[in-house]
Amino acid sequence: MLQPKPDPRKTVKSLLSSAFAAVALLVTTPALSQSETASQLPFGPGVTKLVVQDNRVDRKLEGDLWYPTGTPGIFQRADKSKVWQMADADPEGEPAEGTFPLLVISHGMYGNTFNQAWLASEMARRGYIVALVNHPGTSTFKRDADQARELWERPVDLSRLISYLVETSPYKTRIDPERIYAAGHSLGGFTTMLLAGAQFDTDRYRSVCTDDATPVACSVLKGWSVAETQRDQKEMETRREDERIAKFISLDLGGTPVFSRSSLAAIDKPVLVLGSGRADMLDQTIESRALSSALPENSHRHVELKDAGHFDFMGVCKSAGFAILKEHEPGDEMVCINGGAEREEQHRRIVREIVHFLEQ
């Protein structure tokens, strides 16, 4: 299989195996803590492991389910990574009574469920059930050339996840089927927009991805041999819209150039488009701004977060994170640029935008 051409921004390694391989389950090394902010929120952040049980034996889906607990001041933090600060959680905490909206989140290229665990924790505290799975083939721990090539399976993963949760899982009675939402970061944003009704356009892909000066997404898709056969083109162009999802959230997505403009214009569900004002990884003109321009004006909101970077949608880095990555994974230290207090402030802004969008 062809490999993406080297990029100084190290696109393919943006979520490195070495850093996340050191992360243990959230249930380890508990340390009880409480903060003024946490105590003001209505719920605590419960979390449990999640395995989707359906008839797809060829593509196992595993991840984490976050949920509201009735004890907002009780949570724990695992401390098994030297680079990343773990999200606050109450592992296997007693679920709060009631029915809650469901938010499914798709991670970025070679990412995993830890990447947006911070967001899941914050949303659980605000009364949301949040589900995240590792996409086979394009996750940190499950890299496979054939599965990566079958990029159309990513939105199917989330539809399967929703079906399991609302139809057969032990959590089905706790989910409000009228309030199902989807969000995704980077390639996860691309995945989320496919669920909203966006469609891959082979002709656009061929015309846009023609030379070395192509968008970042082109090198990724070419490297994974996406849509190189007629069968794969048909699969990629097949509509993957999930009507059960009421609202969609794009977190600095990559891949807008290969979407059919007519399919974007036809999306009739609310979409929140969050972009990175610092534009350290993706050209906003051809990504989030272009997505906003193509969507119906009255059904979406576009916010370009000033000073935010692509990796601010991931977790917070520890103070030593930048130096550790620079020494052991040269080039990957970029994920921790402004990754401490500055990123925590970006997280607060992101959560405010998401909550406002979902609850308006």
Side-chain angles (χ1 to χ4, degrees):
M1 185 183 85
L2 295 174
Q3 296 298 319
K5 295 180 179 180
D7 187 306
R9 295 170 294 184
K10 303 196 75 177
T11 307
V12 174
K13 293 186 67 183
S14 63
L15 305 175
L16 47 146
S17 302
S18 56
F20 285 104
V23 176
L25 294 178
L26 291 174
V27 296
T28 60
T29 63
L32 193 64
S33 61
Q34 184 172 357
S35 68
E36 181 181 359
T37 301
S39 64
Q40 293 173 348
L41 295 172
F43 302 101
V47 64
T48 188
K49 302 310 292 182
L50 172 66
V51 178
V52 173
Q53 298 177 20
D54 60 15
N55 59 4
R56 285 289 302 271
V57 297
D58 61 317
R59 191 175 174 90
K60 188 176 182 179
L61 296 178
E62 299 177 302
D64 300 296
L65 185 79
W66 294 75
Y67 55 89
T69 71
T71 49
I74 298 178
F75 52 88
Q76 306 169 359
R77 176 175 291 174
D79 192 24
K80 289 295 185 179
S81 172
K82 295 180 179 179
V83 174
W84 301 98
Q85 177 177 297
M86 296 295 97
D88 295 328
D90 184 7
E92 308 301 334
E94 185 68 24
E97 293 296 326
T99 302
F100 305 97
L102 170 66
L103 173 64
V104 295
I105 301 179
S106 175
H107 64 71
M109 178 179 59
Y110 292 150
N112 57 64
T113 60
F114 289 112
N115 297 161
Q116 278 74 53
W118 69 270
L119 178 57
S121 175
E122 292 292 338
M123 296 304 288
R125 285 171 166 171
R126 288 160 173 80
Y128 289 77
I129 293 175
V130 186
L132 311 91
V133 291
N134 294 308
H135 292 286
T138 56
S139 69
T140 307
F141 310 117
K142 296 183 178 181
R143 305 188 186 195
D144 177 85
D146 281 334
Q147 289 180 322
R149 175 182 58 78
E150 296 174 341
L151 200 58
W152 60 83
E153 289 283 10
R154 269 183 148 253
V156 176
D157 290 344
L158 296 189
S159 288
R160 290 174 55 202
L161 173 61
I162 293 171
S163 293
Y164 168 67
L165 289 174
V166 302
E167 294 174 7
T168 62
S169 79
Y171 322 104
K172 62 182 181 180
T173 59
R174 298 183 178 274
I175 296 172
D176 181 352
E178 300 301 316
R179 293 185 292 166
I180 299 177
Y181 312 121
H185 173 233
S186 195
L187 182 62
F190 178 88
T191 303
T192 298
M193 291 312 302
L194 291 173
L195 285 170
Q199 290 179 273
F200 180 85
D201 187 326
T202 301
D203 291 337
R204 281 188 63 87
Y205 174 47
R206 288 173 174 170
S207 64
V208 171
C209 302
T210 56
D211 53 40
D212 292 341
T214 58
V216 170
C218 292
S219 63
V220 174
L221 297 180
K222 287 183 176 180
W224 288 342
S225 302
V226 170
E228 291 191 356
T229 68
Q230 288 187 344
R231 173 189 173 275
D232 285 4
Q233 289 169 19
K234 182 178 180 180
E235 291 284 3
M236 283 297 297
E237 291 181 341
T238 297
R239 194 175 181 88
R240 305 291 177 184
E241 182 179 7
D242 193 322
E243 293 285 356
R244 296 170 298 181
I245 303 173
K247 294 184 178 182
F248 302 84
I249 303 166
S250 167
L251 307 174
D252 207 29
L253 90 164
T256 303
V258 302
F259 283 144
S260 156
R261 280 351 190 216
S262 61
S263 70
L264 293 177
I267 293 175
D268 59 0
K269 296 285 186 67
V271 179
L272 174 62
V273 181
L274 294 182
S276 57
R278 200 163 75 238
D280 52 353
M281 273 292 295
L282 300 174
D283 183 343
Q284 295 298 295
T285 301
I286 63 173
E287 292 292 358
S288 290
R289 291 177 197 162
L291 176 61
S292 175
S293 296
L295 290 170
E297 184 176 352
N298 62 351
S299 64
H300 84 281
R301 172 174 167 79
H302 176 215
V303 180
E304 194 165 293
L305 298 168
K306 183 181 179 181
D307 300 327
H310 186 67
F311 301 105
D312 285 331
F313 296 92
M314 289 168 47
V316 174
C317 293
K318 292 184 176 179
S319 58
F322 183 92
I324 291 172
L325 293 181
K326 187 173 183 179
E327 177 182 356
H328 297 286
E329 296 285 344
D332 285 338
E333 68 272 12
M334 69 176 296
V335 302
C336 284
I337 293 176
N338 295 340
E342 298 92 344
R343 184 164 295 173
E344 289 180 327
E345 175 57 29
Q346 295 294 353
H347 283 183
R348 287 188 282 271
R349 296 168 66 191
I350 293 166
V351 170
R352 284 197 299 268
E353 289 291 346
I354 290 176
V355 171
H356 175 73
F357 171 71
L358 294 181
E359 298 185 356
Q360 63 183 0

